[in-house]
Amino acid sequence: MSEIKENLKAFKEQLPAHVTLVAVSKTKPNSDIMEAYEAGHRDFGENKVQELVAKQEDLPDDIRWHMIGHLQRNKVKYLVDFVHLIHGVDSMRLLKEINKRAGKAGKRVDCLLQIHIAEESSKFGLDEEELQEIVESIDTFEHVRVRGLMGMATFTDDNVQVLREFRYLRRLYDDLKYKLPKIDTLSMGMSGDYELALEEGSTMVRIGSSIFGARK
Ligand SMILES: *Cc1c(COP(=O)(O)O)cnc(C)c1O
């Protein structure tokens, strides 16, 4: 068995049944994605629109494509027709644009609201106030369906800090579920920290290098 297939198998064996594995294939060739596909995998994540669109055009139609990176408003139009889930909604303006483009395409697009949980100021995401604002106006977005929250923890060996950040996201998720009972997705955890994320209630992990190997 190929290394990619072995890695995938190992993940599937250790993840609880209710947790979705998004295989993050950014920078990796289509042949790598096809290896995972042949092993039965269907959820793939990319962080750049151009790369995502190019791969989508070349690869099988039943792949569920996750846009996990920062999304610029002027690129939303390239995704709405086929994207399975947009993880990185980090502003009201972006949500409005997705709603508008989805409406034009006659679609309803599934989204996650990205929350800023890391200590680095460079990472994208909403703060609590911005989240609140979006939640209050959620009924005006007829063509998006908010499925839950997404976050990226600080890149550090300090597990206590990472746990604290995931726990915070989990608390926001629980609060949100009280207001929007239909939400079902908490996207947190990558190769380096997914175990901690699972402890804190993640329902979707985004794993790249531990499946496909290190990126250049
Ligand atoms: C690249 C990326 C991942 C996967 O990272 P690995 O450390 O390779 O598992 C997960 N989430 C986001 C948003 C990413 O950009």
Side-chain angles (χ1 to χ4, degrees):
M1 212 193 299
S2 80
E3 209 163 316
I4 291 171
K5 285 181 181 158
E6 273 174 30
N7 292 341
L8 258 181
K9 187 160 170 275
F11 264 102
K12 291 198 168 153
E13 278 165 9
Q14 64 172 301
L15 290 176
H18 69 278
V19 173
T20 302
L21 171 62
V22 177
V24 177
S25 47
K26 62 189 184 195
T27 79
K28 298 294 177 182
N30 289 348
S31 54
D32 282 6
I33 297 175
M34 281 312 292
E35 278 194 37
Y37 181 89
E38 281 157 14
H41 201 71
R42 292 295 181 269
D43 288 276
F44 293 91
E46 292 282 337
N47 70 339
K48 296 215 163 67
V49 171
Q50 205 179 356
E51 187 176 349
L52 176 50
V53 169
K55 286 175 171 171
Q56 190 268 339
E57 282 171 1
D58 286 347
L59 292 165
D61 280 341
D62 61 343
I63 288 180
R64 294 184 288 269
W65 292 105
H66 296 247
M67 174 59 194
I68 63 170
H70 179 63
L71 178 56
Q72 287 170 294
R73 277 179 298 138
N74 61 358
K75 298 198 172 151
V76 169
K77 56 179 178 283
Y78 302 118
L79 296 183
V80 288
D81 278 326
F82 69 87
V83 73
H84 177 68
L85 180 63
I86 298 176
H87 290 231
V89 177
D90 59 1
S91 71
M92 178 87 91
R93 293 168 78 205
L94 176 59
L95 195 64
K96 280 185 178 159
E97 178 66 11
I98 297 170
N99 188 60
K100 182 175 122 191
R101 294 289 174 178
K104 279 189 182 166
K107 300 256 174 189
R108 193 149 192 218
V109 174
D110 282 356
C111 295
L112 301 177
L113 303 174
Q114 181 174 358
I115 309 295
H116 179 102
I117 59 170
E119 81 182 356
E120 299 102 285
S121 57
S122 63
K123 291 215 171 129
F124 295 103
L126 304 160
D127 62 26
E128 271 187 67
E129 207 175 307
E130 293 165 322
L131 171 63
Q132 194 54 38
E133 218 180 305
I134 289 178
V135 172
E136 275 163 19
S137 61
I138 204 90
D139 291 338
T140 64
F141 300 105
E142 291 184 317
H143 303 287
V144 296
R145 186 163 43 198
V146 171
R147 300 292 299 262
L149 300 179
M150 179 270 211
M152 285 171 85
T154 303
F155 189 69
T156 171
D157 290 336
D158 182 353
N159 285 357
V160 175
Q161 179 175 353
V162 172
L163 272 175
R164 194 189 317 123
E165 292 171 357
F166 284 149
R167 195 166 301 151
Y168 169 64
L169 186 57
R170 169 64 192 273
R171 183 171 66 70
L172 293 182
Y173 178 78
D174 288 343
D175 290 350
L176 185 61
K177 196 159 174 71
Y178 191 72
K179 292 178 196 141
L180 307 175
K182 284 184 183 156
I183 63 167
D184 56 7
T185 307
L186 178 55
S187 169
M188 60 182 194
M190 319 184 0
S191 294
D193 59 18
Y194 73 91
E195 284 156 311
L196 300 174
L198 291 175
E199 273 181 50
E200 294 304 323
S202 170
T203 71
M204 184 175 277
V205 293
R206 309 175 309 269
I207 308 291
S209 44
S210 291
I211 293 172
F212 294 109
R215 289 178 296 274
K216 295 208 181 77

